[in-house]
Amino acid sequence: MEINKKSQAGSLESSDLMVYVEPFNEIKIEVESSVSSQHTEEIRSLILNELEMRKINGVYVKIQDNGAMNLTIKARLKTALLRGAKNGN
Amino acid sequence: MEIRLRRTMLYIPGNNPGMLQIADIFGADSVLFDLEDSVPHSEKDSARDLVSNMIKYRAYENIEITVRVNPLNTPYFEDDVKEIIAAKKLQAIRLPKTNRAEDVDKLAKLIGKYEKENEIAIGTINIHPMIETALGVENAFSIATSSVRVNAITIGGQDLTADMGIAKTKSGEEILWARSRIVMAAKAARIDAVDTIFADINDKNGLIEETRLIKKLGFTGKAVINPRQIEPIHKIFTPTEKEILWAQEVIETYDKGLKEGKGVIALRGKMIDPPVVKRAEKIITISKLGK
């Protein structure tokens, strides 16, 4: 999968997160979490796994987490990546 | 045939992770994850991804998992069906704006295709057609009997009155015919009939009054939009202690009468015949399921 435009998904509501993605020449992940620094690392690792699984080599991902479950993080990331991979617009 | 209580089906907006992740704690008999009216067009994809992941990874307990997809004539319909079936733990799909049996047929074919692709036993996922147009009401029985997957039909009051060009009132006289028609179709098809929502979440008395009415008409349950609406509805649809005692007495008296070879069996001067026994047995079944 190739990310060719900026996109985002999610919200800043409690139990949710904002995911921003944009094209980049390598993998860069930035995480802010309202929960804890340990959780920040867990999210980073989860994002990295998801990117590897989708064979994405170049993307900048920024996360603003507000206590989301892992399954929510995965869903929001998927939506943001699919939106960013669409051609046109 | 599956016997399950559907006294309440709790709508949860499909793009709200906070609500989705705790959907099973409120005590509803079914949850109804919504991809249609509560989700704006710009978020149809994100709600679909979120609901699919919730069904797949969140271990919901003791609750029926259903999803209201977007209507057949929208660009979201097939993706909705495909993704939520791939999550593998779905029990039923609510099809909004079902106008005719052919609509159910289209969905049933699609479900079959994705059940096969996901190695789910064919026939696992049920269909709950939502009747919310005048045409749908007129076709209620053919919709109710259109597929073996249909085990409940439902009515959508707001859209129906909009289609009829009239206002939806709290007292609901304007949809009495449609409710009765849908219940009769469901009874004839031997499936459940689930009523429309009661929109005013602050009017508990109004909710109780409406629930008593729809129970009398023959509905087996009601869709709800707020967890606060669950308990009053369950109370009305759950047999009282007095009804349970009466039912036990009817069954015991009837069994005893049969053993004694009596032609006419009566309880305190009132004749007990098979329809009365059937009603008593239903009360006992519901009381056991509702515990």
Side-chain angles (χ1 to χ4, degrees), chain B residues 127-166:
Chain B
I127 298 175
H128 297 166
M130 192 169 184
I131 296 176
E132 43 190 348
T133 62
L135 181 59
V137 173
E138 287 302 308
N139 289 327
F141 181 67
S142 63
I143 290 170
T145 51
S146 55
S147 164
V148 290
R149 293 182 187 271
V150 176
N151 62 353
I153 51 172
T154 74
I155 175 171
Q158 294 291 353
D159 280 286
L160 176 59
T161 46
D163 188 54
M164 292 164 72
I166 55 174

Side-chain angles (χ1 to χ4, degrees), chain A residues 69 71 75-76 78-79 83, chain B residues 15 42-43 45 49 53-54:
Chain A
M69 292 173 81
L71 60 88
R76 296 307 196 195
K78 177 185 174 187
T79 307
R83 286 175 178 177
Chain B
N15 205 29
S42 60
E43 296 301 325
D45 56 344
D49 291 339
N53 263 17
M54 285 287 170

Side-chain angles (χ1 to χ4, degrees), chain A residues 24-62:
Chain A
F24 202 61
N25 54 10
E26 58 182 0
I27 300 284
K28 186 180 172 191
I29 303 168
E30 207 175 299
V31 181
E32 287 170 27
S33 175
S34 63
V35 182
S36 67
S37 56
Q38 192 192 342
H39 192 54
T40 302
E41 282 314 305
E42 283 170 13
I43 295 173
R44 188 188 302 279
S45 152
L46 189 151
I47 301 289
L48 206 52
N49 281 343
E50 291 291 308
L51 296 177
E52 271 175 24
M53 199 182 74
R54 292 171 196 278
K55 298 185 171 56
I56 297 173
N57 303 314
V59 66
Y60 168 52
V61 180
K62 186 182 171 192

Side-chain angles (χ1 to χ4, degrees), chain A residues 71-88:
Chain A
L71 60 88
T72 302
I73 298 170
K74 283 184 188 180
R76 296 307 196 195
L77 179 67
K78 177 185 174 187
T79 307
L81 291 172
L82 287 175
R83 286 175 178 177
K86 279 179 189 160
N87 291 321

Side-chain angles (χ1 to χ4, degrees), chain B:
Chain B
M1 194 182 171
E2 167 227 38
I3 301 173
R4 157 183 281 284
L5 285 184
R6 282 191 193 89
R7 296 167 298 183
T8 48
M9 301 190 78
L10 174 63
Y11 271 113
I12 307 275
N15 205 29
N16 184 333
M19 282 294 288
L20 287 168
Q21 69 196 33
I22 57 169
D24 56 343
I25 71 165
F26 302 109
D29 291 326
S30 306
V31 282
L32 189 41
F33 297 150
D34 185 31
L35 300 178
E36 197 207 11
D37 289 347
S38 67
V39 179
H41 286 279
S42 60
E43 296 301 325
K44 293 292 187 189
D45 56 344
S46 60
R48 186 189 303 127
D49 291 339
L50 190 59
V51 164
S52 304
N53 263 17
M54 285 287 170
I55 296 172
K56 193 171 180 181
Y57 298 115
R58 172 77 171 74
Y60 293 109
E61 286 180 10
N62 303 321
I63 198 157
E64 182 184 44
I65 308 286
T66 74
V67 174
R68 178 167 74 171
V69 296
N70 286 289
L72 274 165
N73 61 354
T74 64
Y76 316 113
F77 170 73
E78 182 157 353
D79 284 340
D80 286 351
V81 174
K82 181 182 174 183
E83 294 294 324
I84 59 173
I85 291 178
K88 294 207 171 182
K89 286 184 285 183
L90 183 70
Q91 282 157 289
I93 292 177
R94 178 176 283 224
L95 181 65
K97 298 180 183 65
T98 310
N99 287 324
R100 45 178 76 80
E102 290 82 352
D103 296 343
V104 177
D105 194 44
K106 281 179 193 159
L107 174 58
K109 285 198 174 99
L110 209 53
I111 292 175
K113 176 183 164 188
Y114 291 117
E115 278 178 339
K116 200 173 170 189
E117 267 188 34
N118 290 284
E119 296 176 342
I120 297 167
I122 300 294
T124 300
I125 297 164
N126 293 122
I127 298 175
H128 297 166
M130 192 169 184
I131 296 176
E132 43 190 348
T133 62
L135 181 59
V137 173
E138 287 302 308
N139 289 327
F141 181 67
S142 63
I143 290 170
T145 51
S146 55
S147 164
V148 290
R149 293 182 187 271
V150 176
N151 62 353
I153 51 172
T154 74
I155 175 171
Q158 294 291 353
D159 280 286
L160 176 59
T161 46
D163 188 54
M164 292 164 72
I166 55 174
K168 167 88 174 67
T169 66
K170 203 175 248 189
S171 48
E173 292 92 346
E174 69 283 351
I175 58 166
L176 181 60
W177 155 248
R179 276 176 161 150
S180 305
R181 181 90 165 87
I182 286 166
V183 163
M184 205 55 77
K187 298 296 173 190
R190 299 286 182 261
I191 59 173
D192 282 351
V194 181
D195 190 41
T196 189
I197 60 153
F198 184 76
D200 186 350
I201 57 170
N202 293 316
D203 182 5
K204 189 177 170 184
N205 289 336
L207 173 70
I208 289 171
E209 201 179 315
E210 180 165 286
T211 307
R212 283 188 180 137
L213 168 74
I214 61 115
K215 190 193 170 198
K216 268 190 215 164
L217 290 177
F219 280 95
T220 44
K222 192 166 177 61
V224 295
I225 48 170
N226 188 290
R228 277 191 290 160
Q229 297 181 318
I230 296 169
E231 193 261 335
I233 296 174
H234 281 196
K235 213 167 169 184
I236 291 166
F237 275 102
T238 306
T240 62
E241 200 64 25
K242 197 177 157 190
E243 286 172 317
I244 296 168
L245 287 173
W246 171 83
Q248 285 168 340
E249 218 176 342
V250 163
I251 294 165
E252 281 165 20
T253 308
Y254 190 73
D255 287 347
K256 195 170 165 235
L258 285 183
K259 275 179 197 156
E260 291 169 357
K262 284 184 181 169
V264 178
I265 304 167
L267 176 64
R268 285 190 287 277
K270 285 186 181 167
M271 194 177 83
I272 304 172
D273 54 6
V276 176
V277 178
K278 202 172 166 189
R279 190 159 71 87
E281 285 170 345
K282 198 173 176 195
I283 287 172
I284 298 295
T285 305
I286 292 173
S287 71
K288 284 178 182 164
L289 289 170
K291 275 179 185 169

